[in-house]
Amino acid sequence: MTGARLSKFLKIYWRFVLFMFLVFGLAGFLLTLAEKPSFEASQTFFVKRQTTVENRQFYTYDGYYSSQAAERFADSLFGALSSRDVLRLALSENRAMAPRQLSAEINGVKIRRLSPQLVNFAYKSQNLKEATDVVAALSAFVSKLTGELSQGGDTGVTVSFISSSPLIITHSPSFIINTLVGALLGLFLSFLASAVIFYFKES
């Protein structure tokens, strides 16, 4: 499009483009008003193994062994929490829910390995109680699973949670971002539609 044709195009359609820019921007703002905040509950646990050898001659070896044992135990817990079957068992234990809700919670759980001995799990929902309950259920399951695994193996391994209760982060919708996205979308669509109409009229 040459400069002359572009100038003619803008002269004809600038009001429409500006109108759609404002309308879509307002729509983005109003949708943000109707959008509810979401809540992300998370919990982090640290796996450690208490050293048992008191003789200083073997302290270095025992400390190394304890670190390795804790890392392997963390591997087991991380692998268990990454399994859908284990998550199904953890979330459905002592909690009555519909199969669809259980499936949604399983899909929403995020498991992260922060370090060799540090594991984090989180769940995000628009319902604060649901987010808290999911993470609390996983915390209880981790404690139970740790006890069962330790009883049948290395009793020196323990799991410590970073906080006594799930940490909550509130994600509020952004008026600025949503309004800007809506306005730019309106600008793009109106400009595209106007350009097509202008092209066929001028052809």
Side-chain angles (χ1 to χ4, degrees):
M1 185 179 292
T2 63
R5 297 190 68 185
L6 179 61
S7 178
K8 182 180 179 180
F9 168 78
L10 293 176
K11 186 177 181 180
I12 297 174
Y13 293 103
W14 72 269
R15 292 182 181 85
F16 172 70
V17 173
L18 178 61
F19 174 76
M20 295 302 293
F21 175 83
L22 296 176
V23 167
F24 273 72
L26 179 62
F29 180 83
L30 294 177
L31 288 175
T32 305
L33 289 176
E35 186 179 351
K36 297 180 180 180
S38 59
F39 305 93
E40 183 178 18
S42 67
Q43 184 63 278
T44 303
F45 63 84
F46 179 76
V47 181
K48 61 182 178 180
R49 182 187 183 278
Q50 184 66 38
T51 58
T52 56
V53 178
E54 297 182 0
N55 192 328
R56 293 182 180 274
Q57 181 180 356
F58 301 102
Y59 176 78
T60 301
Y61 171 78
D62 188 54
Y64 173 79
Y65 169 75
S66 296
S67 176
Q68 293 298 304
E71 290 180 19
R72 299 290 78 78
F73 198 89
D75 287 339
S76 300
L77 292 179
F78 179 77
L81 292 175
S82 300
S83 167
R84 290 184 61 89
D85 291 334
V86 174
L87 287 178
R88 186 181 305 277
L89 175 63
L91 296 176
S92 61
E93 193 172 37
N94 302 322
R95 297 175 69 232
M97 66 184 77
R100 178 174 297 181
Q101 180 185 356
L102 178 59
S103 179
E105 289 186 357
I106 292 173
N107 293 331
V109 173
K110 304 299 181 184
I111 310 297
R112 295 183 299 164
R113 190 73 175 269
L114 303 181
S115 74
Q117 295 172 241
L118 205 62
V119 180
N120 170 271
F121 50 87
Y123 183 80
K124 186 177 181 180
S125 173
Q126 291 186 330
N127 187 311
L128 176 60
K129 185 178 185 303
E130 178 185 3
T132 305
D133 287 348
V134 168
V135 173
L138 290 176
S139 299
F141 180 80
V142 168
S143 298
K144 177 183 176 182
L145 183 60
T146 299
E148 293 176 351
L149 294 177
S150 298
Q151 186 176 6
D154 193 339
T155 57
V157 176
T158 59
V159 167
S160 300
F161 289 96
I162 300 301
S163 60
S164 57
S165 58
L167 300 176
I168 306 297
I169 299 177
T170 303
H171 298 274
S172 300
S174 174
F175 287 95
I176 295 178
I177 294 179
N178 289 349
T179 301
L180 183 60
V181 169
L184 292 177
L185 179 62
L187 179 66
F188 172 76
L189 293 178
S190 61
F191 191 89
L192 180 63
S194 301
V196 172
I197 296 173
F198 180 77
Y199 173 80
F200 284 107
K201 282 187 176 181
E202 293 293 309
S203 299

